[in-house]
Amino acid sequence: MRRGARGVVCWGSALALILALVPPAAIPQEPAKGGLIGFVYGADGSTPVPGAVVLVKNLTTGAVTEAGPTDATGLFQVAELSAGLYSAGVRSLQGSYNCQDFFGVEARHTSRISIALDTYEATAAAAAAAVIREQRAKGEAFIGKVVRCDPSTKEAQVFVEVGLIQSNDRLHIKGPETDFYLDLRNLQLSGTRAKRVMSGNTAAFKASKPCQAGDFVYVVCKRGVPPFFLAPLGIAAIVAGAVPLAATFEDEPVSPFRIR
């Protein structure tokens, strides 16, 4: 009996020793979060817009986070954001605004941005809404055709048949011998730099590759993510503080974003 009892005691001691030597299971840790703080201003970039609601969307997960209304100084804050690349939209008493730019959030850091609300005129709002509807359905919206391209300078002229082209749009130019993407810079109308060119006008810009008259021109959704609101009143432009987490690509990219 004693021998049996001693055996039990010894086995129990050995078991306890084994358990002591086995490390406890690793406890999964929540990824570190970041935050966002900023101001919403009018088109002049200095007049505060109180009562505006800023929404931010994680372009990887699709999660949308809403900040409380801006205060009298236009201040808003968003906490507990996962690290990544975000788009933004603004709802105000005047209507909804889409942000054309993207910003980054880093773990354990607070990103700081300022947003200026630039209101569309009625015709531009209708044109933008038409473009967004087609982008949602097809991923890119037909805008017009190339009417001329100088092969030596790659200066292209595009007649805008539908909607509008805006500075910083991502374009897809496609034809029988042409197929490339570009991030639009130096948009011009009648020899003058322009923010947007409406249907019925000819836009001019420098292409990244040669194209030909008759090539189709499309505005592409950035990574398949259309702007926030179906019927935008205007554009919310990030005017300061964007974290440069993405590059600009001239061919079809893995991550086709442009951050100012």
Side-chain angles (χ1 to χ4, degrees):
M1 294 293 293
R2 284 185 176 180
R3 182 175 300 174
R6 281 198 301 270
V8 172
V9 171
C10 289
W11 171 247
S13 299
L15 180 59
L17 179 61
I18 291 171
L19 292 175
L21 292 175
V22 175
I27 300 175
Q29 300 215 348
E30 185 77 16
K33 303 285 188 175
L36 174 68
I37 185 170
F39 294 87
V40 177
Y41 298 115
D44 61 2
S46 61
T47 303
V49 178
V53 175
V54 177
L55 299 96
V56 298
K57 183 174 184 178
N58 186 305
L59 296 184
T60 300
T61 66
V64 176
T65 304
E66 182 176 311
T70 54
D71 65 14
T73 67
L75 175 70
F76 69 91
Q77 299 183 61
V78 187
E80 295 297 306
L81 292 175
S82 299
L85 197 63
Y86 285 78
S87 61
V90 179
R91 291 195 180 107
S92 72
L93 295 176
Q94 292 74 35
S96 297
Y97 294 77
N98 300 310
C99 194
Q100 290 191 135
D101 306 292
F102 297 92
F103 65 91
V105 171
E106 296 179 297
R108 302 184 183 89
H109 289 82
T110 298
S111 296
R112 301 174 185 274
I113 62 174
S114 295
I115 299 174
L117 304 182
D118 183 13
T119 303
Y120 279 128
E121 61 273 19
T123 53
V131 171
I132 292 170
R133 281 195 296 270
E134 191 169 359
Q135 284 180 324
R136 288 188 180 276
K138 302 178 182 178
E140 56 184 41
F142 172 76
I143 295 298
K145 297 177 183 177
V146 176
V147 294
R148 182 178 302 170
C149 183
D150 187 328
S152 61
T153 64
K154 301 177 187 173
E155 293 288 340
Q157 295 183 5
V158 172
F159 182 72
V160 181
E161 298 182 17
V162 181
L164 76 172
I165 292 180
Q166 301 186 101
S167 178
N168 299 328
D169 274 346
R170 181 159 185 78
L171 302 184
H172 181 192
I173 301 181
K174 185 172 177 61
E177 301 178 6
T178 308
D179 192 356
F180 65 92
Y181 296 78
L182 67 93
D183 291 312
L184 186 58
R185 300 186 183 89
N186 298 321
L187 179 64
Q188 294 190 352
L189 174 64
S190 302
T192 303
R193 190 160 184 169
K195 290 183 178 179
R196 63 185 67 97
V197 177
M198 304 288 296
S199 58
N201 294 284
T202 299
F205 54 86
K206 187 170 183 178
S208 56
K209 296 180 180 180
C211 50
Q212 299 180 8
D215 288 346
F216 292 156
V217 181
Y218 304 85
V219 173
V220 183
C221 286
K222 294 179 174 70
R223 206 180 189 182
V225 181
F228 261 98
F229 308 106
L230 279 174
L233 179 69
I235 289 175
I238 296 177
V239 295
V243 178
L245 295 183
T248 299
F249 298 85
E250 294 195 347
D251 293 312
E252 174 60 1
V254 176
S255 177
F257 300 115
R258 181 173 187 273
I259 298 180
R260 287 181 181 176

